[in-house]
Amino acid sequence: MNALKNKVQLIGNLGQDPEIVNLENGSKLAKFSLATTDSYKNAQGEKVDDTQWHNVVAWGKTAEIVENYLVKGKQVAVEGKLIHRSYETKEGEKRYITEVKCNELLMLGK
C-alpha cells in the first residue's frame, strides 16, 4: 500500500498547447493544463457540467513525448503524484501552487 500514498490518475483534455522548457543540463520540462469534467443533475433536474483544471508537469522522456505529440484539445490519461510548492512574486507576495508530476502518459482519442 505504500505505493498508493500519493497517486493521481486523470483523464482529460489539454487546455492549451504545452509549454516546453529546455534546461541548461540538456533535459526537458513540459507544462500543460488538463481539464476534467464531471456531470451531475442539480435540484431542478438540470444537467450541470463541472470542469476542474489541473496543472501538469512532465520531465525527461515524458516531456519529449508531450512536446512531439500533444496539442490543445488532445485527450490524455495522466498518472503521477501531487506536488505542492510555494514561491514569492516580485512584489513579495507568497503564492502556492499544486501540480501533478506526470510519471506516465497515455494518448487517447484521435
Side-chain angles (χ1 to χ4, degrees), residues 54-55 82-85 96-100:
H54 312 276
N55 295 316
L82 288 178
I83 303 291
H84 302 285
R85 61 183 175 88
Y96 299 90
I97 189 165
T98 300
E99 299 170 318
V100 176

Side-chain angles (χ1 to χ4, degrees), residues 2-48:
N2 284 340
L4 299 177
K5 285 185 178 178
N6 185 359
K7 187 172 185 177
V8 177
Q9 294 178 323
L10 299 170
I11 296 176
N13 297 82
L14 269 71
Q16 61 194 30
D17 287 342
E19 175 188 342
I20 306 299
V21 179
N22 293 302
L23 303 173
E24 289 180 11
N25 64 6
S27 65
K28 287 187 189 269
L29 166 65
K31 300 178 185 180
F32 59 95
S33 60
L34 191 69
T36 58
T37 303
D38 287 322
S39 298
Y40 64 91
K41 290 194 179 189
N42 63 15
Q44 293 75 34
E46 301 165 327
K47 180 183 173 189
V48 178

Side-chain angles (χ1 to χ4, degrees), residues 12-17 33 70-76 108 110:
N13 297 82
L14 269 71
Q16 61 194 30
D17 287 342
S33 60
L70 298 188
V71 294
K72 178 180 178 179
K74 181 79 174 165
Q75 187 180 47
V76 295
L108 305 171
K110 294 183 179 182

